[in-house]
Amino acid sequence: MLPGERHKKTRQSDVTETIPPRAYIHEASATVVPQGKPGGDPANWLRLNANESSYGASSEARKAVADMANTLERYPDPSSIALRTAIATHFGLPIDELICGNGSEAVVETIARCYARPGDEILFGRYSFIQYKIFAERLGATAVLAEETGFRTDIDTLLAAVTERTKIVFIANPNNPTATHVPAKELRRLRDGLRKDIVLVIDSAYAEFANAGDYSAGHELVAGTQNVIVARTFSKAYGLAALRVGWAHGPASLIRVLNRMKQIGNVNVLGQAAAIAALGAVEHLADVVAKTITTRRRTTGALTALGLDVLPSQGNFLCVRFPHGVSGSRSAFDQLMAKGIMVRKIEDYGLPEFLRISIGTDAEMDRVIAALSDYVQSTAA
């Protein structure tokens, strides 16, 4: 189904899939470890399977890490006060509405542990970030997958899927792995349509790359609520994936609850220092974002010209559908791997005919385009 196509919406059973606890194996998604062994010289391997930044961290962040190397015997500040202060100043947010974690995933999991129990339901779109299912499994809660429209989270379908057992609604915006987004007015409609005892988690890990005019990371939706929280990360645009630094913005009452549940010292010393420095390196971030968006647009055009379906992306990656279904995507994956290009199979997301391809530098994406051109020519022969 391409953007613009719609699911027919009737009964709740027609628009959702309920996955009871332990109904699936929650193996780790293979984003860092390649799904197979790449070919060619390891020095030339191209890692575009984890949505990492090919531009790396800023020089300021790297220097901050080096400067902290002589204090490794000291525990980190468990409250991340300096980092929260820097985030508050940079984004114009109250410091008592901020929490930091070992990547945004740790913050989001803490939310799940606080607000869901066995028998409760955690609701999200069918093609949402796979960790949401895993969180539900760990808690003994029920994952409820709402059908989507054009590979976008459908707000009407989400609202129709809410039951008395719904405790948390997750919405990744932009979404991983589809890279699609939900407009700001639709996010607001979702917030306004939920019961006040349901926690709405807006996972905006890729917000920096979203340039659609109707996009919002969602921070404005927190004001005046007790149940809305926005999660962010330094792993993607800031290039700090190795250090695992995330944060979230929510009402002070909710943040106090999360602080009681989070691990002590959950953001390491190097991560805190690097993230503070990264916030100050505004030119580096602007350069990374501008280059990524330009290369994303160019790569989308090139792959579309090859006859491949590319979902509209607001992230630093593309979700590409191949002809001939799963056999086509597997064949493309194998050919890319043979050339030393690692991308992500997303069969575990229920998208077997797609591959997810991170956006790298222009030179890196030229390799991808050339390899997929060879693939298309080989399938046409």
Side-chain angles (χ1 to χ4, degrees):
M1 178 178 296
L2 290 174
E5 297 178 90
R6 298 186 62 84
H7 287 284
K8 180 181 179 182
K9 290 181 277 187
T10 52
R11 302 182 306 274
Q12 180 183 340
S13 60
D14 294 324
V15 296
T16 62
E17 176 184 354
T18 299
I19 301 181
R22 289 166 291 281
Y24 60 89
I25 299 174
H26 59 254
E27 59 182 307
S29 52
T31 55
V32 177
V33 179
Q35 297 167 328
K37 184 177 180 180
D41 184 352
N44 294 323
W45 286 355
L46 183 52
R47 187 161 130 170
L48 298 176
N49 62 334
N51 297 345
E52 298 156 327
S53 172
S54 289
Y55 299 101
S58 66
S59 59
E60 293 89 338
R62 293 195 298 271
K63 182 178 184 303
V65 170
D67 290 346
M68 296 300 294
N70 292 324
T71 62
L72 300 184
E73 73 279 8
R74 302 299 179 192
Y75 284 114
D77 170 16
S79 298
S80 302
I81 292 175
L83 176 54
R84 287 165 55 223
T85 300
I87 293 170
T89 300
H90 186 83
F91 289 95
L93 301 171
I95 191 171
D96 64 344
E97 295 184 358
L98 301 175
I99 187 171
C100 296
N102 186 35
S104 58
E105 179 186 338
V107 178
V108 173
E109 183 173 22
T110 301
I111 296 168
R113 287 192 291 110
C114 284
Y115 293 100
R117 298 288 184 271
D120 291 338
E121 292 179 351
I122 297 177
L123 172 63
F124 45 89
R126 173 170 293 280
Y127 304 119
S128 297
F129 186 38
I130 201 168
Q131 288 297 109
Y132 305 155
K133 293 181 186 178
I134 295 173
F135 295 155
E137 165 69 10
R138 288 172 181 167
L139 295 166
T142 299
V144 179
L145 281 60
E147 293 295 349
E148 301 190 359
T149 298
F151 299 102
R152 282 188 176 90
T153 302
D154 187 303
I155 301 306
D156 289 324
T157 306
L158 273 182
L159 291 172
V162 171
T163 73
E164 69 279 359
R165 294 197 297 156
T166 305
K167 299 299 181 182
I168 300 174
V169 174
F170 285 121
I171 182 165
N173 198 37
N175 183 55
N176 175 24
T178 60
T180 56
H181 80 287
V182 173
K185 65 178 183 180
E186 288 292 282
L187 274 184
R188 182 175 293 275
R189 191 161 66 85
L190 173 62
R191 184 202 68 175
D192 294 346
L194 290 175
R195 296 194 315 269
K196 303 310 178 186
D197 64 326
I198 296 174
V199 177
L200 171 61
V201 182
I202 304 170
D203 188 349
S204 301
Y206 297 93
E208 288 80 8
F209 301 108
N211 66 336
D214 60 358
Y215 176 79
S216 169
H219 293 285
E220 72 281 1
L221 300 180
V222 172
T225 75
Q226 299 298 316
N227 65 322
V228 179
I229 188 162
V230 179
R232 304 289 294 268
T233 185
F234 286 92
S235 295
K236 307 303 180 182
Y238 292 96
L240 300 182
L243 296 177
R244 309 299 296 126
V245 186
W247 62 280
H249 167 220
S253 58
L254 192 152
I255 295 298
R256 285 195 294 270
V257 172
L258 298 181
N259 272 319
R260 290 196 292 268
M261 290 293 290
K262 74 176 181 63
Q263 293 179 331
I264 296 175
N266 63 338
V267 184
N268 67 76
V269 168
L270 302 182
Q272 291 190 39
I276 292 169
L279 285 173
V282 293
E283 292 183 0
H284 176 79
L285 178 66
D287 184 58
V288 169
V289 170
K291 287 178 177 176
T292 300
I293 291 173
T294 298
T295 304
R296 181 180 73 196
R297 183 184 303 115
R298 182 177 71 86
T299 306
T300 297
L303 298 187
T304 301
L306 291 175
L308 302 176
D309 293 330
V310 184
L311 298 185
S313 174
Q314 289 291 297
N316 67 335
F317 57 96
L318 300 178
C319 191
V320 184
R321 182 158 65 178
F322 291 80
H324 313 301
V326 63
S327 64
S329 66
R330 288 179 179 176
S331 176
F333 178 88
D334 290 342
Q335 290 195 37
L336 289 167
M337 286 288 280
K339 296 177 184 290
I341 302 172
M342 291 174 272
V343 299
R344 175 72 155 86
K345 290 180 183 177
I346 47 178
E347 296 178 26
D348 51 349
Y349 281 90
L351 295 167
E353 71 273 31
F354 287 85
L355 295 177
R356 194 191 69 193
I357 305 173
S358 304
I359 297 293
T361 65
D362 273 336
E364 290 172 342
M365 301 317 292
D366 283 342
R367 283 183 60 186
V368 173
I369 293 166
L372 289 179
S373 178
D374 291 343
Y375 159 78
V376 169
Q377 291 180 24
S378 69
T379 59

